[in-house]
Amino acid sequence: MRTIAEVLRWRAQRHPDLPAIKYEGQETSYGDLNRKTDWLALGLIQDLGLRDGDRVAILDKNCSDYLELLFALDKAGVVAAPINWRLTPVEVNQILADIQPRLLVVGEEFRSHGKSAGVKTLSFEELPRIKGDDPGRDKDGAVFWQFATSGTTGLPKGAMLTGHNVLNVGLCLALEMPELREGGPSLVCMPMFHLGGAGWAVWAMQEGATLTIVREIQPSSLLKTIVEEKIETALLVPAVMLFLTELPEVLQADFSNFRHVVYGTAPIAPDLLQRCIEIFDCRFTQIYGLTETAGPFAALPFEHHRGDKLLSCGRPMFGGRAKIVDENGRDLPPGEIGEIVYQGENLMTGYWNRPEATAEAILDGWFHTGDAGIVDKDGFFYVKDRIKDMIVTGSENVYPAEVEASLSAHPDIVEIAVIGVPDDRWGEMIKAIAVRRQGSELTESELIEWTKDRLAGYKRPRSVDFLEALPRNASGKVLKRALREPFWKGRDRAIN
């Protein structure tokens, strides 16, 4: 199978009455989902006039309608472009200007975003549906998903993925976690604007799982859902794992149905991982990858969750290739630090309307991750630092350039540098280091408050230090490594 529409058609034919989705008390079978997406796809084509390759942006929290729309868009030959609902209207408008979608589909609470952007906006309920047969416009090799990823310049880039990219990941995951099964309850709680949400949903459905979709993560209610729905498999991130283990009621909860949890998108502290293994009493697999690789391309199986291997992000999954190279692209031997690069079936087709950025990221067929790491003699990879200037906070990627651009617009700021510092709850916390204009009495709280309407909450600095001048090298470049060093001193790696 090469498209997600093919997966749904096949599953609906194999077991039409098997529950595909459970959401807020409602249940949809594979057969009903297939039929509903046929009608929605026809409505998009015949009523709205959408054509092959058009973009449709989606802005909402998790819901069953979101997943239904993804399948319908593929059947209509239209590209789905999910947008992070945590962004401010200004940030959403930037992404919409880049995507140039024919349509924006929103949850009611986000309707105003479309109006300010001047894009045709409909809610899920307003989408037209026409009874009829599957239009079948999905094509092998066609882009069907476009995720906005931040760039080192702070401007969003659209990573374009084909059905084959995404489904290949699902096949690899099925080998890593055979507990994914037909009718097995699987949790979808990560945001669907990420591959950890929508991607996980598709991968679980490849195996015929029954999805329980959670609209938004609230730790207590999430724990209740895991227990009451007898969840067997899930994809979680370290921040959510931490929130769950901190709940007082977690020690009395019945996790006897939990069979396998995959986790990733951010480094995990070994003590948190050990606590999760003890509490949930199931298998854990760490995964490592990027949006550009359609999600994970490496995995650390449960059998290797011991000793030094706990700090590894694993080995490439079936069919994937990875290696460590120096700044000139030469292969490095085990133990020497360099950049992790990847080659395989998961790799994106490129960045939307960014041929130069695509050429910079993919060299001779190898994708450069921007992560510095090593590989050991057994083929296990270890992420040690970031070559790209990026912060991962609560599993969200934040590029300092975007935050710096916003902060530097403050009239009392002469120069600014943004770095990530260790944080036990979020992995990293955003810290700004600023130089004020002479005579300014600007305070830390005033500068942070100033960003409130300019940056999404997870991008705003949590602390600000003021200096007389920023350290620079001979060519005038800010020495961010020198700024970060005091906060990371004594740690094995410069990521958390």
Side-chain angles (χ1 to χ4, degrees):
M1 295 181 193
R2 311 278 289 192
T3 70
I4 68 164
E6 282 186 315
V7 170
L8 181 56
R9 294 184 193 112
W10 189 84
R11 284 287 166 195
Q13 188 177 51
R14 177 176 171 87
H15 37 62
D17 298 325
L18 182 70
I21 299 172
K22 291 183 177 181
Y23 176 68
E24 296 188 346
Q26 300 295 313
E27 189 174 287
T28 305
S29 69
Y30 274 93
D32 286 341
L33 182 61
N34 189 50
R35 185 163 44 254
K36 289 168 69 176
T37 54
D38 287 349
W39 298 352
L40 180 51
L42 285 171
L44 295 171
I45 295 168
Q46 296 180 17
D47 196 315
L48 298 183
L50 296 185
R51 300 183 298 271
D52 282 357
D54 282 343
R55 265 63 180 166
V56 169
I58 312 170
L59 183 65
D60 196 13
K61 298 176 182 178
N62 291 2
C63 60
S64 57
D65 288 337
Y66 201 126
L67 194 56
E68 178 187 333
L69 178 58
L70 292 178
F71 282 104
L73 290 172
D74 196 35
K75 288 183 176 183
V78 176
V79 180
I83 296 178
N84 187 337
W85 54 262
R86 297 188 181 116
L87 300 177
T88 65
V90 172
E91 293 168 316
V92 170
N93 286 354
Q94 282 183 326
I95 293 174
L96 290 173
D98 180 65
I99 298 171
Q100 293 293 304
R102 289 281 306 280
L103 175 69
L104 171 64
V105 180
V106 298
E108 285 297 336
E109 60 190 290
F110 303 107
R111 185 179 287 273
S112 62
H113 289 62
K115 290 179 180 177
S116 63
V119 177
K120 180 179 178 64
T121 303
L122 295 175
S123 68
F124 290 99
E125 293 75 18
E126 293 169 336
L127 291 172
R129 291 165 172 82
I130 298 174
K131 291 185 178 181
D133 295 331
D134 183 344
R137 296 207 311 195
D138 49 303
K139 294 183 179 66
D140 180 11
V143 173
F144 93 99
W145 245 341
Q146 182 171 310
F147 286 94
T149 66
S150 295
T152 52
T153 61
L155 299 174
K157 294 182 293 187
M160 299 184 291
L161 304 175
T162 67
H164 178 65
N165 292 151
V166 175
L167 297 181
N168 188 71
V169 175
L171 293 174
C172 292
L173 281 176
L175 293 174
E176 300 293 336
M177 51 184 314
E179 294 83 358
L180 272 175
R181 64 179 182 88
E182 290 184 355
S186 191
L187 179 69
V188 179
C189 64
M190 302 314 300
M192 287 188 174
F193 58 76
H194 278 320
L195 280 161
W200 173 256
V202 171
W203 300 327
M205 292 179 79
Q206 275 182 263
E207 303 307 308
T210 296
L211 308 182
T212 292
I213 297 177
V214 174
R215 181 161 179 79
E216 188 177 5
I217 292 176
Q218 303 290 342
S220 292
S221 60
L222 181 62
L223 176 61
K224 184 178 179 183
T225 297
I226 291 170
V227 173
E228 291 184 351
E229 294 297 328
K230 299 182 174 169
I231 296 299
E232 294 179 357
T233 56
L235 186 154
L236 301 176
V237 299
V240 173
M241 294 161 71
L242 175 63
F243 296 154
L244 290 173
T245 59
E246 287 182 336
L247 293 171
E249 61 267 35
V250 75
L251 297 178
Q252 285 75 47
D254 178 9
F255 295 112
S256 59
N257 292 286
F258 235 168
R259 302 177 68 187
H260 204 137
V261 173
V262 291
Y263 65 94
T265 76
I268 190 169
D271 59 337
L272 171 59
L273 177 58
Q274 191 57 47
R275 194 156 73 247
C276 289
I277 292 172
E278 293 170 359
I279 291 173
F280 299 125
D281 192 25
C282 68
R283 295 173 63 84
F284 281 79
T285 293
Q286 181 178 172
I287 53 177
Y288 166 73
L290 299 87
T291 302
E292 290 89 339
T293 60
F297 65 82
L300 182 72
F302 188 59
E303 291 75 17
H304 295 289
H305 277 61
R306 60 178 181 269
D308 292 341
K309 294 290 192 288
L310 269 177
L311 295 175
S312 169
C313 62
R315 292 185 285 204
M317 292 192 291
F318 182 77
R321 296 169 293 280
K323 60 183 181 178
I324 305 293
V325 300
D326 65 15
E327 62 273 15
N328 296 313
R330 291 189 293 255
D331 294 5
L332 291 176
E336 287 197 27
I337 193 165
E339 184 174 10
I340 300 173
V341 296
Y342 164 79
Q343 185 182 76
E345 302 298 319
N346 306 3
L347 185 55
M348 67 173 182
T349 63
Y351 294 116
W352 168 248
N353 285 340
R354 301 282 202 286
E356 297 86 0
T358 301
E360 289 175 7
I362 305 173
L363 300 173
D364 297 324
W366 291 88
F367 173 71
H368 288 244
T369 65
D371 286 334
I374 63 170
V375 62
D376 68 15
K377 62 182 177 57
D378 300 316
F380 288 85
F381 285 77
Y382 299 76
V383 180
K384 293 293 186 180
D385 201 348
R386 294 191 188 94
I387 295 171
K388 292 179 179 177
D389 192 12
M390 184 180 74
I391 300 165
V392 180
T393 178
S395 297
E396 294 284 1
N397 293 342
V398 177
Y399 279 87
E402 181 180 6
V403 184
E404 290 163 354
S406 179
L407 293 173
S408 63
H410 192 287
D412 279 5
I413 294 297
V414 175
E415 55 181 354
I416 193 90
V418 170
I419 61 172
V421 298
D423 183 80
D424 291 338
R425 179 170 289 264
W426 299 108
E428 288 182 275
M429 179 180 69
I430 296 174
K431 172 180 277 293
I433 300 174
V435 177
R436 291 172 288 202
R437 67 172 174 80
Q438 191 171 4
S440 170
E441 296 181 355
L442 178 68
T443 65
E444 175 185 50
S445 60
E446 288 172 342
L447 183 57
I448 293 173
E449 179 65 22
W450 191 79
T451 67
K452 187 174 181 181
D453 296 324
R454 294 171 171 83
L455 292 169
Y458 67 89
K459 296 180 183 178
R460 294 199 292 268
R462 294 294 184 267
S463 63
V464 180
D465 290 350
F466 294 101
L467 299 179
E468 293 297 318
L470 296 180
R472 296 179 182 274
N473 62 15
S475 62
K477 185 177 180 180
V478 174
L479 296 172
K480 286 200 174 179
R481 188 172 292 275
L483 293 174
R484 294 176 76 217
E485 188 174 1
F487 301 99
W488 293 91
K489 191 174 183 181
R491 293 177 179 260
D492 292 333
R493 51 185 182 176
I495 54 175
N496 195 33

